[in-house]
Amino acid sequence: MTPEERKEYNKEWRENNKEKIEEYKKKWSENNKEEIKENKKKYYENNKEKIIEQQKEYQKINKEKIQEYKKKYKQTPLAIKNNRITNWKQKGVKFDDWEALYKHYMSTEICDNCEIELVEGQFGGNKRCLDHDHATGAFRNILCNTCNIRRG
């Protein structure tokens, strides 16, 4: 069977067995989450070299496809949020609820110090900045870039 024929066969089988598939998914998702997780972990440990080699081969063959996907993903709101939070963590900011902090950051439109209107971007004196204590990592305010630099 050629890969195209196999693909068509699988597609047809899934169309004809939707109820069976849903029942199977429901059964396994409800009852065996931990068991599935454990089995996946064991499989990975037993086949680590093989899996890594397959991943390398896939990345080698699909280099352009992967680069295009990453380029598109980086422009999504989720990627922008994750990148920003990662950046804050790397700079030493300490916080319990990153989701809430990000929402507060995005909803703040006026500098907490000088009350200038904040803008989104990488450059400019009134770009939005997350101010934190560099010694403790504690979040303090959402400031414009100018006030953030003055505060140190």
Side-chain angles (χ1 to χ4, degrees):
M1 191 177 278
T2 68
E4 290 80 19
E5 290 171 334
R6 169 62 65 188
K7 190 174 183 180
E8 188 59 37
Y9 170 80
N10 287 339
K11 183 178 178 181
E12 192 175 302
W13 188 89
R14 285 191 303 273
E15 282 295 318
N16 294 333
N17 294 284
K18 285 182 180 180
E19 292 169 5
K20 190 185 251 186
I21 293 168
E22 286 304 313
E23 184 179 308
Y24 179 80
K25 283 181 183 178
K26 187 176 180 183
K27 175 186 170 189
W28 282 96
S29 65
E30 290 174 359
N31 301 330
N32 301 315
K33 285 183 181 179
E34 288 303 315
E35 184 180 339
I36 292 169
K37 191 176 180 180
E38 227 14 76
N39 286 340
K40 284 182 178 182
K41 191 175 182 179
K42 285 178 187 175
Y43 179 83
Y44 180 80
E45 288 303 318
N46 292 335
N47 298 286
K48 193 174 186 175
E49 292 82 18
K50 178 183 172 184
I51 292 168
I52 290 171
E53 195 57 44
Q54 288 173 338
Q55 290 172 339
K56 286 180 182 178
E57 186 65 29
Y58 177 84
Q59 290 170 353
K60 186 177 175 183
I61 293 169
N62 297 291
K63 190 174 184 177
E64 293 84 21
K65 183 179 176 181
I66 292 167
Q67 286 175 339
E68 186 63 33
Y69 173 80
K70 286 180 180 180
K71 187 177 178 181
K72 286 180 183 177
Y73 173 74
K74 286 180 182 180
Q75 297 170 357
T76 65
L78 178 62
I80 292 167
K81 179 182 94 172
N82 289 339
N83 186 40
R84 183 163 283 139
I85 291 171
T86 299
N87 193 347
W88 291 340
K89 289 177 182 179
Q90 288 172 346
K91 289 182 178 182
V93 177
K94 305 255 188 294
F95 206 76
D96 292 332
D97 189 354
W98 291 104
E99 192 71 33
L101 180 60
Y102 182 77
K103 284 181 183 178
H104 175 62
Y105 174 84
M106 292 306 293
S107 65
T108 303
E109 296 178 359
I110 296 173
C111 175
D112 290 341
N113 191 38
C114 70
E115 299 185 5
I116 193 171
E117 185 178 347
L118 299 173
V119 295
E120 191 63 30
Q122 295 181 345
F123 305 104
N126 61 336
K127 78 171 186 168
R128 187 181 291 127
C129 293
L130 184 93
D131 180 42
H132 69 286
D133 185 322
H134 290 254
T136 65
F139 162 73
R140 291 191 291 216
N141 298 83
I142 307 296
L143 302 175
C144 67
N145 191 45
T146 305
C147 291
N148 190 41
I149 290 170
R150 282 186 197 140
R151 187 176 275 186

